[in-house]
PDB file of all heavy atoms in Angstrom:
ATOM      1  N   SER A  11      94.218  99.790  91.865  1.00 79.00           N
ATOM      2  CA  SER A  11      94.050 100.056  93.174  1.00 79.00           C
ATOM      3  C   SER A  11      93.687  98.850  94.098  1.00 79.00           C
ATOM      4  O   SER A  11      94.129  98.780  95.206  1.00 79.00           O
ATOM      5  CB  SER A  11      93.000 101.177  93.374  1.00 79.00           C
ATOM      6  OG  SER A  11      92.896 101.470  94.774  1.00 79.00           O
ATOM      7  N   GLU A  12      92.742  98.098  93.490  1.00 77.00           N
ATOM      8  CA  GLU A  12      92.269  96.730  94.223  1.00 77.00           C
ATOM      9  C   GLU A  12      93.420  95.763  94.364  1.00 77.00           C
ATOM     10  O   GLU A  12      93.479  95.157  95.382  1.00 77.00           O
ATOM     11  CB  GLU A  12      91.106  96.155  93.436  1.00 77.00           C
ATOM     12  CG  GLU A  12      90.464  95.120  94.137  1.00 77.00           C
ATOM     13  CD  GLU A  12      89.984  95.490  95.623  1.00 77.00           C
ATOM     14  OE1 GLU A  12      89.569  96.469  95.870  1.00 77.00           O
ATOM     15  OE2 GLU A  12      89.930  94.388  96.350  1.00 77.00           O
ATOM     16  N   SER A  13      94.178  95.685  93.235  1.00 80.00           N
ATOM     17  CA  SER A  13      95.303  94.709  93.520  1.00 80.00           C
ATOM     18  C   SER A  13      96.290  95.282  94.536  1.00 80.00           C
ATOM     19  O   SER A  13      96.776  94.306  95.283  1.00 80.00           O
ATOM     20  CB  SER A  13      95.982  94.428  92.133  1.00 80.00           C
ATOM     21  OG  SER A  13      96.544  95.654  91.753  1.00 80.00           O
ATOM     22  N   GLY A  14      96.580  96.570  94.515  1.00 82.00           N
ATOM     23  CA  GLY A  14      97.398  97.044  95.688  1.00 82.00           C
ATOM     24  C   GLY A  14      96.857  96.899  96.972  1.00 82.00           C
ATOM     25  O   GLY A  14      97.608  96.463  97.907  1.00 82.00           O
ATOM     26  N   ARG A  15      95.475  97.015  97.169  1.00 83.00           N
ATOM     27  CA  ARG A  15      94.881  96.775  98.383  1.00 83.00           C
ATOM     28  C   ARG A  15      95.020  95.376  98.877  1.00 83.00           C
ATOM     29  O   ARG A  15      95.375  95.100  99.964  1.00 83.00           O
ATOM     30  CB  ARG A  15      93.414  97.212  98.283  1.00 83.00           C
ATOM     31  CG  ARG A  15      92.535  96.963  99.418  1.00 83.00           C
ATOM     32  CD  ARG A  15      91.036  97.311  99.226  1.00 83.00           C
ATOM     33  NE  ARG A  15      90.336  97.035 100.409  1.00 83.00           N
ATOM     34  CZ  ARG A  15      89.614  95.809 100.507  1.00 83.00           C
ATOM     35  NH1 ARG A  15      89.790  94.915  99.653  1.00 83.00           N
ATOM     36  NH2 ARG A  15      88.970  95.658 101.569  1.00 83.00           N
ATOM     37  N   GLN A  16      94.705  94.423  98.030  1.00 82.00           N
ATOM     38  CA  GLN A  16      94.794  93.063  98.250  1.00 82.00           C
ATOM     39  C   GLN A  16      96.377  92.680  98.604  1.00 82.00           C
ATOM     40  O   GLN A  16      96.482  91.793  99.490  1.00 82.00           O
ATOM     41  CB  GLN A  16      94.408  92.196  97.050  1.00 82.00           C
ATOM     42  CG  GLN A  16      92.885  92.193  96.796  1.00 82.00           C
ATOM     43  CD  GLN A  16      91.962  91.790  97.842  1.00 82.00           C
ATOM     44  OE1 GLN A  16      92.329  90.976  98.642  1.00 82.00           O
ATOM     45  NE2 GLN A  16      90.856  92.399  97.929  1.00 82.00           N
ATOM     46  N   ILE A  17      97.275  93.115  98.010  1.00 86.00           N
ATOM     47  CA  ILE A  17      98.693  92.875  98.318  1.00 86.00           C
ATOM     48  C   ILE A  17      99.015  93.376  99.592  1.00 86.00           C
ATOM     49  O   ILE A  17      99.671  92.678 100.369  1.00 86.00           O
ATOM     50  CB  ILE A  17      99.647  93.491  97.151  1.00 86.00           C
ATOM     51  CG1 ILE A  17      99.466  92.591  95.783  1.00 86.00           C
ATOM     52  CG2 ILE A  17     101.046  93.361  97.645  1.00 86.00           C
ATOM     53  CD1 ILE A  17     100.086  93.342  94.644  1.00 86.00           C
ATOM     54  N   GLU A  18      98.581  94.565  99.950  1.00 88.00           N
ATOM     55  CA  GLU A  18      98.996  95.194 101.238  1.00 88.00           C
ATOM     56  C   GLU A  18      98.221  94.466 102.371  1.00 88.00           C
ATOM     57  O   GLU A  18      98.835  94.143 103.418  1.00 88.00           O
ATOM     58  CB  GLU A  18      98.396  96.670 101.337  1.00 88.00           C
ATOM     59  CG  GLU A  18      99.248  97.555 100.441  1.00 88.00           C
ATOM     60  CD  GLU A  18     100.683  97.741 100.902  1.00 88.00           C
ATOM     61  OE1 GLU A  18     100.831  97.847 102.232  1.00 88.00           O
ATOM     62  OE2 GLU A  18     101.542  97.893 100.091  1.00 88.00           O
ATOM     63  N   ILE A  19      96.982  93.929 102.297  1.00 86.00           N
ATOM     64  CA  ILE A  19      96.333  93.282 103.287  1.00 86.00           C
ATOM     65  C   ILE A  19      96.937  92.056 103.512  1.00 86.00           C
ATOM     66  O   ILE A  19      97.273  91.577 104.565  1.00 86.00           O
ATOM     67  CB  ILE A  19      94.877  93.070 102.932  1.00 86.00           C
ATOM     68  CG1 ILE A  19      94.186  94.436 102.998  1.00 86.00           C
ATOM     69  CG2 ILE A  19      94.247  92.119 103.835  1.00 86.00           C
ATOM     70  CD1 ILE A  19      92.618  94.433 102.551  1.00 86.00           C
ATOM     71  N   ASN A  20      97.410  91.206 102.448  1.00 87.00           N
ATOM     72  CA  ASN A  20      98.004  89.879 102.430  1.00 87.00           C
ATOM     73  C   ASN A  20      99.377  90.090 103.131  1.00 87.00           C
ATOM     74  O   ASN A  20      99.778  89.285 103.948  1.00 87.00           O
ATOM     75  CB  ASN A  20      98.115  89.205 101.176  1.00 87.00           C
ATOM     76  CG  ASN A  20      96.718  88.726 100.711  1.00 87.00           C
ATOM     77  OD1 ASN A  20      95.836  88.536 101.549  1.00 87.00           O
ATOM     78  ND2 ASN A  20      96.585  88.620  99.390  1.00 87.00           N
ATOM     79  N   SER A  21     100.185  91.147 102.739  1.00 90.00           N
ATOM     80  CA  SER A  21     101.463  91.306 103.262  1.00 90.00           C
ATOM     81  C   SER A  21     101.509  91.627 104.852  1.00 90.00           C
ATOM     82  O   SER A  21     102.237  91.203 105.469  1.00 90.00           O
ATOM     83  CB  SER A  21     102.278  92.512 102.500  1.00 90.00           C
ATOM     84  OG  SER A  21     102.312  92.171 101.186  1.00 90.00           O
ATOM     85  N   ALA A  22     100.461  92.517 105.200  1.00 91.00           N
ATOM     86  CA  ALA A  22     100.214  92.814 106.498  1.00 91.00           C
ATOM     87  C   ALA A  22     100.001  91.506 107.370  1.00 91.00           C
ATOM     88  O   ALA A  22     100.390  91.380 108.492  1.00 91.00           O
ATOM     89  CB  ALA A  22      99.167  93.806 106.800  1.00 91.00           C
ATOM     90  N   GLY A  23      99.162  90.669 106.953  1.00 91.00           N
ATOM     91  CA  GLY A  23      98.746  89.286 107.568  1.00 91.00           C
ATOM     92  C   GLY A  23     100.064  88.562 107.700  1.00 91.00           C
ATOM     93  O   GLY A  23     100.128  87.968 108.867  1.00 91.00           O
ATOM     94  N   ILE A  24     100.816  88.489 106.820  1.00 92.00           N
ATOM     95  CA  ILE A  24     102.073  87.690 106.845  1.00 92.00           C
ATOM     96  C   ILE A  24     103.086  88.205 107.819  1.00 92.00           C
ATOM     97  O   ILE A  24     103.529  87.543 108.729  1.00 92.00           O
ATOM     98  CB  ILE A  24     102.668  87.387 105.588  1.00 92.00           C
ATOM     99  CG1 ILE A  24     101.847  86.517 104.545  1.00 92.00           C
ATOM    100  CG2 ILE A  24     104.142  86.851 105.671  1.00 92.00           C
ATOM    101  CD1 ILE A  24     102.200  86.677 103.099  1.00 92.00           C
ATOM    102  N   ALA A  25     103.285  89.593 107.838  1.00 94.00           N
ATOM    103  CA  ALA A  25     104.094  90.178 108.815  1.00 94.00           C
ATOM    104  C   ALA A  25     103.595  90.094 110.180  1.00 94.00           C
ATOM    105  O   ALA A  25     104.426  89.889 111.113  1.00 94.00           O
ATOM    106  CB  ALA A  25     104.258  91.634 108.388  1.00 94.00           C
ATOM    107  N   GLY A  26     102.200  90.330 110.239  1.00 93.00           N
ATOM    108  CA  GLY A  26     101.603  90.200 111.628  1.00 93.00           C
ATOM    109  C   GLY A  26     101.773  88.878 112.229  1.00 93.00           C
ATOM    110  O   GLY A  26     102.081  88.721 113.365  1.00 93.00           O
ATOM    111  N   ALA A  27     101.607  87.895 111.348  1.00 93.00           N
ATOM    112  CA  ALA A  27     101.688  86.493 111.831  1.00 93.00           C
ATOM    113  C   ALA A  27     103.180  86.216 112.356  1.00 93.00           C
ATOM    114  O   ALA A  27     103.416  85.622 113.363  1.00 93.00           O
ATOM    115  CB  ALA A  27     101.391  85.518 110.795  1.00 93.00           C
ATOM    116  N   ALA A  28     104.148  86.604 111.574  1.00 94.00           N
ATOM    117  CA  ALA A  28     105.666  86.380 111.992  1.00 94.00           C
ATOM    118  C   ALA A  28     105.849  87.091 113.341  1.00 94.00           C
ATOM    119  O   ALA A  28     106.602  86.543 114.124  1.00 94.00           O
ATOM    120  CB  ALA A  28     106.433  86.924 110.826  1.00 94.00           C
ATOM    121  N   ALA A  29     105.380  88.486 113.391  1.00 94.00           N
ATOM    122  CA  ALA A  29     105.660  89.156 114.610  1.00 94.00           C
ATOM    123  C   ALA A  29     104.901  88.584 115.710  1.00 94.00           C
ATOM    124  O   ALA A  29     105.515  88.474 116.794  1.00 94.00           O
ATOM    125  CB  ALA A  29     105.274  90.734 114.337  1.00 94.00           C
ATOM    126  N   GLY A  30     103.690  88.281 115.473  1.00 93.00           N
ATOM    127  CA  GLY A  30     102.863  87.775 116.690  1.00 93.00           C
ATOM    128  C   GLY A  30     103.454  86.350 117.135  1.00 93.00           C
ATOM    129  O   GLY A  30     103.509  86.086 118.349  1.00 93.00           O
ATOM    130  N   GLY A  31     103.954  85.521 116.249  1.00 92.00           N
ATOM    131  CA  GLY A  31     104.543  84.290 116.633  1.00 92.00           C
ATOM    132  C   GLY A  31     105.809  84.402 117.302  1.00 92.00           C
ATOM    133  O   GLY A  31     106.141  83.782 118.383  1.00 92.00           O
ATOM    134  N   ALA A  32     106.649  85.339 116.919  1.00 92.00           N
ATOM    135  CA  ALA A  32     107.895  85.563 117.482  1.00 92.00           C
ATOM    136  C   ALA A  32     107.763  86.124 118.878  1.00 92.00           C
ATOM    137  O   ALA A  32     108.512  85.702 119.777  1.00 92.00           O
ATOM    138  CB  ALA A  32     108.767  86.515 116.686  1.00 92.00           C
ATOM    139  N   ILE A  33     106.803  87.059 119.003  1.00 92.00           N
ATOM    140  CA  ILE A  33     106.611  87.639 120.495  1.00 92.00           C
ATOM    141  C   ILE A  33     106.074  86.637 121.389  1.00 92.00           C
ATOM    142  O   ILE A  33     106.594  86.386 122.581  1.00 92.00           O
ATOM    143  CB  ILE A  33     105.836  88.875 120.319  1.00 92.00           C
ATOM    144  CG1 ILE A  33     106.471  90.083 119.544  1.00 92.00           C
ATOM    145  CG2 ILE A  33     105.281  89.333 121.703  1.00 92.00           C
ATOM    146  CD1 ILE A  33     105.696  91.158 119.234  1.00 92.00           C
ATOM    147  N   ALA A  34     105.080  85.955 120.849  1.00 91.00           N
ATOM    148  CA  ALA A  34     104.526  84.838 121.668  1.00 91.00           C
ATOM    149  C   ALA A  34     105.491  83.671 122.063  1.00 91.00           C
ATOM    150  O   ALA A  34     105.575  83.188 123.127  1.00 91.00           O
ATOM    151  CB  ALA A  34     103.205  84.110 121.094  1.00 91.00           C
ATOM    152  N   GLY A  35     106.407  83.295 121.180  1.00 89.00           N
ATOM    153  CA  GLY A  35     107.419  82.288 121.459  1.00 89.00           C
ATOM    154  C   GLY A  35     108.474  82.858 122.449  1.00 89.00           C
ATOM    155  O   GLY A  35     108.915  82.053 123.197  1.00 89.00           O
ATOM    156  N   LEU A  36     108.817  84.076 122.502  1.00 90.00           N
ATOM    157  CA  LEU A  36     109.733  84.499 123.396  1.00 90.00           C
ATOM    158  C   LEU A  36     109.114  84.723 124.802  1.00 90.00           C
ATOM    159  O   LEU A  36     109.693  84.535 125.888  1.00 90.00           O
ATOM    160  CB  LEU A  36     110.256  86.094 123.040  1.00 90.00           C
ATOM    161  CG  LEU A  36     111.009  86.015 121.818  1.00 90.00           C
ATOM    162  CD1 LEU A  36     111.400  87.504 121.449  1.00 90.00           C
ATOM    163  CD2 LEU A  36     112.333  85.331 122.164  1.00 90.00           C
ATOM    164  N   MET A  37     107.822  85.027 124.900  1.00 90.00           N
ATOM    165  CA  MET A  37     107.175  85.088 126.302  1.00 90.00           C
ATOM    166  C   MET A  37     106.751  83.655 126.881  1.00 90.00           C
ATOM    167  O   MET A  37     106.764  83.792 128.072  1.00 90.00           O
ATOM    168  CB  MET A  37     105.870  85.922 126.020  1.00 90.00           C
ATOM    169  CG  MET A  37     106.087  87.387 125.567  1.00 90.00           C
ATOM    170  SD  MET A  37     104.608  88.320 125.270  1.00 90.00           S
ATOM    171  CE  MET A  37     103.301  87.609 126.312  1.00 90.00           C
ATOM    172  N   CYS A  38     106.612  82.679 126.130  1.00 88.00           N
ATOM    173  CA  CYS A  38     105.978  81.551 126.638  1.00 88.00           C
ATOM    174  C   CYS A  38     107.013  80.438 127.335  1.00 88.00           C
ATOM    175  O   CYS A  38     106.652  79.797 128.195  1.00 88.00           O
ATOM    176  CB  CYS A  38     105.179  80.747 125.662  1.00 88.00           C
ATOM    177  SG  CYS A  38     103.540  81.532 125.404  1.00 88.00           S
ATOM    178  N   GLY A  39     108.215  80.520 126.924  1.00 84.00           N
ATOM    179  CA  GLY A  39     109.102  79.601 127.514  1.00 84.00           C
ATOM    180  C   GLY A  39     108.827  78.174 127.012  1.00 84.00           C
ATOM    181  O   GLY A  39     108.909  77.800 125.797  1.00 84.00           O
ATOM    182  N   PRO A  40     108.551  77.167 127.955  1.00 87.00           N
ATOM    183  CA  PRO A  40     108.300  75.776 127.587  1.00 87.00           C
ATOM    184  C   PRO A  40     107.194  75.638 126.638  1.00 87.00           C
ATOM    185  O   PRO A  40     107.004  74.536 125.936  1.00 87.00           O
ATOM    186  CB  PRO A  40     108.324  75.085 128.957  1.00 87.00           C
ATOM    187  CG  PRO A  40     108.531  76.088 129.893  1.00 87.00           C
ATOM    188  CD  PRO A  40     108.607  77.383 129.443  1.00 87.00           C
ATOM    189  N   GLY A  41     106.144  76.414 126.828  1.00 84.00           N
ATOM    190  CA  GLY A  41     104.878  76.208 126.091  1.00 84.00           C
ATOM    191  C   GLY A  41     105.004  76.936 124.730  1.00 84.00           C
ATOM    192  O   GLY A  41     104.004  77.269 124.191  1.00 84.00           O
ATOM    193  N   ALA A  42     106.234  77.195 124.197  1.00 87.00           N
ATOM    194  CA  ALA A  42     106.322  78.112 122.965  1.00 87.00           C
ATOM    195  C   ALA A  42     105.612  77.584 121.757  1.00 87.00           C
ATOM    196  O   ALA A  42     105.057  78.259 120.978  1.00 87.00           O
ATOM    197  CB  ALA A  42     107.873  78.227 122.826  1.00 87.00           C
ATOM    198  N   PRO A  43     105.685  76.102 121.563  1.00 89.00           N
ATOM    199  CA  PRO A  43     105.065  75.580 120.231  1.00 89.00           C
ATOM    200  C   PRO A  43     103.642  76.022 120.180  1.00 89.00           C
ATOM    201  O   PRO A  43     103.108  76.358 119.195  1.00 89.00           O
ATOM    202  CB  PRO A  43     105.299  74.085 120.302  1.00 89.00           C
ATOM    203  CG  PRO A  43     106.551  73.933 121.219  1.00 89.00           C
ATOM    204  CD  PRO A  43     106.450  75.107 122.199  1.00 89.00           C
ATOM    205  N   VAL A  44     102.930  75.972 121.349  1.00 91.00           N
ATOM    206  CA  VAL A  44     101.572  76.242 121.239  1.00 91.00           C
ATOM    207  C   VAL A  44     101.226  77.787 121.164  1.00 91.00           C
ATOM    208  O   VAL A  44     100.440  78.270 120.500  1.00 91.00           O
ATOM    209  CB  VAL A  44     100.851  75.695 122.609  1.00 91.00           C
ATOM    210  CG1 VAL A  44      99.350  76.172 122.745  1.00 91.00           C
ATOM    211  CG2 VAL A  44     100.904  74.159 122.588  1.00 91.00           C
ATOM    212  N   CYS A  45     102.155  78.441 121.943  1.00 91.00           N
ATOM    213  CA  CYS A  45     101.945  79.950 121.961  1.00 91.00           C
ATOM    214  C   CYS A  45     102.305  80.604 120.645  1.00 91.00           C
ATOM    215  O   CYS A  45     101.711  81.551 120.153  1.00 91.00           O
ATOM    216  CB  CYS A  45     102.938  80.593 122.884  1.00 91.00           C
ATOM    217  SG  CYS A  45     102.362  80.208 124.707  1.00 91.00           S
ATOM    218  N   VAL A  46     103.293  79.981 119.968  1.00 92.00           N
ATOM    219  CA  VAL A  46     103.643  80.535 118.555  1.00 92.00           C
ATOM    220  C   VAL A  46     102.528  80.350 117.604  1.00 92.00           C
ATOM    221  O   VAL A  46     102.137  81.203 116.851  1.00 92.00           O
ATOM    222  CB  VAL A  46     104.897  79.779 118.114  1.00 92.00           C
ATOM    223  CG1 VAL A  46     105.113  80.067 116.533  1.00 92.00           C
ATOM    224  CG2 VAL A  46     106.046  80.298 118.854  1.00 92.00           C
ATOM    225  N   LEU A  47     101.834  79.226 117.742  1.00 92.00           N
ATOM    226  CA  LEU A  47     100.620  78.973 116.782  1.00 92.00           C
ATOM    227  C   LEU A  47      99.485  80.040 117.108  1.00 92.00           C
ATOM    228  O   LEU A  47      98.977  80.588 116.122  1.00 92.00           O
ATOM    229  CB  LEU A  47     100.155  77.535 116.958  1.00 92.00           C
ATOM    230  CG  LEU A  47     100.849  76.451 116.341  1.00 92.00           C
ATOM    231  CD1 LEU A  47     100.389  75.119 116.730  1.00 92.00           C
ATOM    232  CD2 LEU A  47     100.902  76.554 114.825  1.00 92.00           C
TER     233      LEU A  47
END
């Protein structure tokens, strides 16, 4: 159960980073490199 919990938390973090970076990149225009980070 603990290993499943750790895998889920890490997977959510990776997916959230990808989604957050993609959304920020689309919204920022010329400032996209900073916004994506």
Side-chain angles (χ1 to χ4, degrees):
S11 177
E12 182 61 29
S13 64
R15 177 181 175 272
Q16 295 295 334
I17 289 169
E18 288 293 324
I19 291 172
N20 289 335
S21 299
I24 291 169
I33 291 170
L36 290 173
M37 289 175 31
C38 284
V44 174
C45 290
V46 167
L47 287 173

